[in-house]
Amino acid sequence: IALLFDDLNLSDFDVQRAKAAAGKFVKESLAPGDRVAVVTTASPATATFSNDAPELVKRIEAVIAHPRYSDYDTAVTCPQITGYQAYLLINCLDPDLLAAKVAELAACRGNPAPVPVRVNCNSTAEAPVMRLARPIWDRARSNSENTVRAVSNLVDAMGKLPGRRMILMTSAGFLSGELEEREEDLTLKALHSGVVINTLEARGLYASVPGGDASQQRPASSGRGRQRAQMVELQIQAREMDAPDDALSTLAYGT
């Protein structure tokens, strides 16, 4: 059993709860002959398996969060563009969102313009928004690639071991847009290697607050541009909240 902490995508609060659950598991739920390794996605070193519960608890306690991308990094930019929104913008998947961000950017620059009715993600008018969205999506995608690579390396290592092999991955989720082929390859490799991947959503049961919760800072834009953006953001909020879990679901159901 590999206890895989996705510390690239866990907050300090999430990782504390995950560690408490993992500590309880190794103390109370191991069967004779079970061997466990504690692994993280940020430092996917060679997995060392042990049945020494006190030693495993020490390894679990040493795990800390190492987030390399968070939407809070862009919370004070104007316009604010989350990783999921950047994915939609760069891949031209939501014209309404693009139009709203074009109008909001104009408001941010103190030059309110009429909200565009139609947009073209390849036109000159939309280029400034695309330039803002590109580095945001590049960072989010890079973080997701590192996560998938860490899981893949662990599957390779466990595929050579005898007995039943299982990875229990705890994560707050990560964006998997444009990584579908890599996920499929990882799932097939795990199946062929006889490695089962179970996933645990570290955020637990949570509610989606319309417009974001009070702790989230908002960009300093106002007027029609910001109002249009808020309306569009509300429309995609449910999809945005679910998107990080898609990869976890794919790996679990696929194996």
Side-chain angles (χ1 to χ4, degrees):
I1 304 169
L3 299 180
L4 177 59
F5 291 85
D6 184 15
D7 53 341
L8 289 174
N9 298 287
L10 287 171
S11 67
D12 291 332
F13 180 69
D14 293 335
V15 82
Q16 290 303 321
R17 293 193 302 172
K19 285 163 60 173
K24 182 177 181 180
F25 172 73
V26 299
K27 292 174 185 176
E28 302 176 3
S29 302
L30 294 185
D34 285 348
R35 295 174 64 80
V36 178
V38 179
V39 190
T40 68
T41 51
S43 301
T46 302
T48 302
F49 291 83
S50 171
N51 56 7
D52 184 344
E55 176 59 27
L56 291 170
V57 170
K58 289 182 181 179
R59 297 179 191 175
I60 291 169
E61 285 302 317
V63 175
I64 60 175
H66 290 96
R68 296 177 186 170
Y69 173 80
S70 171
D71 284 337
Y72 285 99
D73 297 341
T74 61
V76 295
T77 61
C78 190
Q80 181 185 17
I81 300 176
T82 66
Y84 180 70
Q85 292 169 8
Y87 162 70
L88 295 178
L89 293 170
I90 291 300
N91 290 280
C92 302
L93 298 176
D94 196 320
D96 288 340
L97 177 65
L98 178 55
K101 291 301 176 180
V102 168
E104 186 178 4
L105 178 59
C108 292
R109 294 178 173 177
N111 182 30
V115 177
V117 177
R118 297 178 62 86
V119 293
N120 181 340
C121 53
N122 295 317
S123 72
T124 303
E126 283 69 53
V129 170
M130 295 305 224
R131 284 197 294 270
L132 291 173
R134 170 53 68 185
I136 295 172
W137 173 236
D138 285 346
R139 289 179 57 205
R141 176 186 165 121
S142 176
N143 186 71
S144 298
E145 288 175 336
N146 290 335
T147 302
V148 172
R149 186 180 303 112
V151 180
S152 181
N153 291 341
L154 184 56
V155 169
D156 287 335
M158 295 186 71
K160 303 171 185 177
L161 301 176
R164 296 172 58 197
R165 279 96 13 107
M166 185 263 282
I167 295 172
L168 176 54
M169 177 181 181
T170 180
S171 172
F174 55 93
L175 297 175
S176 56
E178 301 182 6
L179 300 180
E180 291 83 2
E181 287 189 16
R182 297 192 185 190
E183 281 189 281
E184 183 177 355
D185 291 343
L186 172 55
T187 299
L188 290 175
K189 179 164 63 173
L191 287 172
H192 292 158
S193 302
V195 177
V196 175
I197 303 175
N198 291 313
T199 56
L200 180 67
E201 222 294 4
R203 292 180 294 179
L205 196 61
Y206 60 90
S208 174
V209 181
D213 60 60
S215 68
Q216 293 176 313
Q217 300 182 61
R218 305 300 302 177
S221 64
S222 59
R224 292 182 59 203
R226 181 59 202 149
Q227 291 172 0
R228 171 70 178 275
Q230 288 176 325
M231 291 175 58
V232 174
E233 289 167 2
L234 285 173
Q235 292 171 1
I236 67 172
Q237 186 174 32
R239 285 185 287 145
E240 184 164 10
M241 293 295 290
D242 289 341
D245 291 341
D246 289 345
L248 302 182
S249 299
T250 297
L251 295 176
Y253 286 122
T255 61

